[in-house]
Amino acid sequence: GENVEQHPSTLSVQEGDSAVIKCTYSDSASNYFPWYKQELGKRPQLIIDIRSNVGEKKDQRIAVTLNKTAKHFSLHITETQPEDSAVYFCAARGFQKLVFGTGTRLLVSP
Amino acid sequence: GAVVSQHPSRVICKSGTSVKIECRSLDFQATTMFWYRQFPKKSLMLMATSNEGSKATYEQGVEKDKFLINHASLTLSTLTVTSAHPEDSSFYICSARGDSPEAFFGQGTRLTVV
């Protein structure tokens, strides 16, 4: 089955810096790659997603890139703000199941 | 985005009792629902996938008889933790998917078994 690896596990940046989180997946049949932001005790919120027929997608300060050949995808957050502090999960889906990465705790210091 | 409602948000139960958690899609038909378990500071671990009207597919290591899943309609799935024990204490969260690949999450249920 699908296996998703995510790193780093923790990431500390200064406000205004960029943050990059990377994930790799194992199942070449996976075709949908969402990123979620989860605050403590709350549900994961979808922040951006990308499908396998697209290499890059951007939404304001957030962008995601996908390299299907290498089976990895990345989340890029520019001009980080303290409210970006949370745990971020990548995920990959093949036929049905959404498999999550291990999460990255992002801390943005003012 | 679509709305998925899960309740209760918190429940405390005695060891040996059963607890039912509901997950409802409020404005779309959820052909597939997923149940996850999340330990503190850990990722979401898929427990089972359910399609409306059919039996749930459980992930390896998840006890079918302990975690009963029912997906009786296109808007409702339930997870029943039977004969709960303290080690079942966790954050349980559902997600629902319709025609699009995007999955929408419920608010989660924090279960504490005492």
Side-chain angles (χ1 to χ4, degrees):
Chain A
E2 177 66 274
N3 181 49
V4 179
E5 296 189 357
Q6 180 174 349
H7 60 92
S9 56
T10 58
L11 179 59
S12 295
V13 300
Q14 292 290 319
E15 182 177 3
D17 289 349
S18 295
V20 180
I21 303 170
K22 298 183 179 181
C23 287
T24 59
Y25 61 99
S26 61
D27 188 352
S28 57
S30 290
N31 56 15
Y32 175 66
F33 308 91
W35 286 88
Y36 291 89
K37 176 183 180 182
Q38 187 180 29
E39 298 178 356
L40 189 62
K42 297 189 176 180
R43 78 182 90 190
Q45 297 279 3
L46 178 71
I47 56 172
I48 195 167
D49 58 12
I50 191 167
R51 303 192 192 193
S52 60
N53 58 350
V54 176
E56 185 174 355
K57 184 176 177 181
K58 190 174 181 180
D59 182 5
Q60 298 183 339
R61 297 187 296 111
I62 296 173
V64 58
T65 59
L66 171 65
N67 183 328
K68 283 219 74 180
T69 303
K71 287 190 275 189
H72 65 70
F73 55 113
S74 300
L75 176 71
H76 303 252
I77 305 174
T78 59
E79 300 173 32
T80 54
Q81 302 166 2
E83 50 265 38
D84 293 330
S85 296
V87 179
Y88 291 80
F89 293 99
C90 64
R93 168 180 285 141
F95 171 59
Q96 248 193 354
K97 295 192 298 185
L98 196 60
V99 178
F100 285 81
T102 48
T104 297
R105 184 171 300 278
L106 174 64
L107 176 62
V108 182
S109 303
Chain B
V3 179
V4 175
S5 177
Q6 180 178 344
H7 69 91
S9 58
R10 292 178 181 272
V11 59
I12 300 173
C13 71
K14 290 185 177 180
S15 189
T17 61
S18 295
V19 173
K20 180 183 282 188
I21 302 170
E22 291 190 350
C23 181
R24 293 180 184 273
S25 58
L26 299 185
D27 53 1
F28 70 102
Q29 293 187 325
T31 51
T32 308
M33 286 192 175
F34 307 88
W35 287 94
Y36 295 87
R37 182 173 180 176
Q38 187 175 32
F39 291 102
K41 299 184 179 181
K42 296 295 184 182
S43 187
L44 290 87
M45 302 302 298
L46 181 65
M47 299 173 67
T49 302
S50 73
N51 292 292
E52 184 266 339
S54 60
K55 290 184 179 180
T57 302
Y58 289 79
E59 294 299 301
Q60 191 173 6
V62 178
E63 297 177 59
K64 299 180 183 181
D65 296 332
K66 179 144 188 79
F67 299 100
L68 300 178
I69 291 172
N70 183 284
H71 192 165
S73 76
L74 284 171
T75 58
L76 174 64
S77 177
T78 60
L79 166 68
T80 301
V81 183
T82 63
S83 186
H85 288 95
E87 56 265 31
D88 298 324
S89 299
S90 192
F91 188 64
Y92 293 88
I93 190 163
C94 68
S95 74
R97 179 188 170 190
D99 295 332
S100 72
E102 185 177 348
F104 302 95
F105 284 87
Q107 304 97 313
T109 297
R110 183 158 303 283
L111 171 64
T112 303
V113 185
V114 297

